[in-house]
Structures are given as structure tokens and as C-alpha cells.
Amino acid sequence: MTVIAVLSSEEEEVALQRFKKSARDKCRSYLDDLVNCTRHRTFSLVMMCREQNRKVQECVQQYTTESDLDRFREEELLKKREFLKSIGKWPVEELFAKPSAPAASSTGELPTPQRPSQ
């Protein structure tokens, strides 16, 4: 039996936010340089901080490729699966349970099957 786990849209959104934060954390020094450049500037920040902004963009792009995102999703799915295992919900038994046989009556007879109504 193959069990496929997916992230809900809410879990996907949270995972994407963590993914982006991870990339920003890796580029922290470039972000700090950009912030320092923009302090006390208004109109001139576009021209004066262009190089710092370019470095931030290059750094973030380096850590946010599709393959990085796929790898991050896989890690999130593993975390979800481990959590579900730890609370006894993996695999989800009610989805994969086989139908139980009809119970015998106290006389030992099986119940009569009902015809579906049309």
C-alpha cells in the first residue's frame, strides 16, 4: 500500500514563509548593508543603494531555486509524517481500513443483505 502525504494549503503557506525566511537569514549580511544604505535617505536611495539591492537579490535567488523549494517541501512532509507517526495517526487508518465483515446475530445467523433502492 502506498500512502501519499500532502501539505494542506495552510501548511504550504507556512512552509513557504519559513523557506523565504531561511533564504533571508542566509543573506543577512547583504540585507544589513542594504538597510544601512537606506537609512536617512528618501528619493536618493534608489540610486545610492542600487548595488546593495542587487547583491541582496542575487543572494536570495541563489537560495530560492525550484530544486531548493522542492527539497524544503520534502523536509516538511517528512516532519509531518513523523509527527503523525508520533501521535499514532500514520497511516490514516480510517482511509485504508478494509470493510469489516457483518457481525453474526446472537443466533449465529448472518444478517440478510439489503438490496439497494433505486
Side-chain angles (χ1 to χ4, degrees), residues 15-23 63-65 68-69 72:
L16 189 57
Q17 289 172 1
R18 281 200 300 259
F19 175 69
K20 290 177 181 179
K21 182 182 181 324
S22 171
Y63 295 110
T64 56
T65 64
D68 290 330
L69 182 56
F72 192 81

Side-chain angles (χ1 to χ4, degrees), residues 2 6 11 22-26 29-30 33 47 54-55 67 73 75 77-78 81 87-88 96 98 100 102 106 115 118:
T2 301
V6 294
E11 291 169 330
S22 171
R24 287 191 308 268
D25 289 345
K26 292 174 184 173
S29 64
Y30 295 113
D33 290 344
M47 295 299 291
R54 184 186 60 76
K55 287 179 180 178
S67 61
R73 280 188 182 122
E75 291 170 6
L77 283 171
L78 285 173
R81 189 171 80 200
I87 62 171
F96 304 105
K98 294 180 181 176
S100 59
S106 59
R115 286 191 148 171
Q118 293 181 350

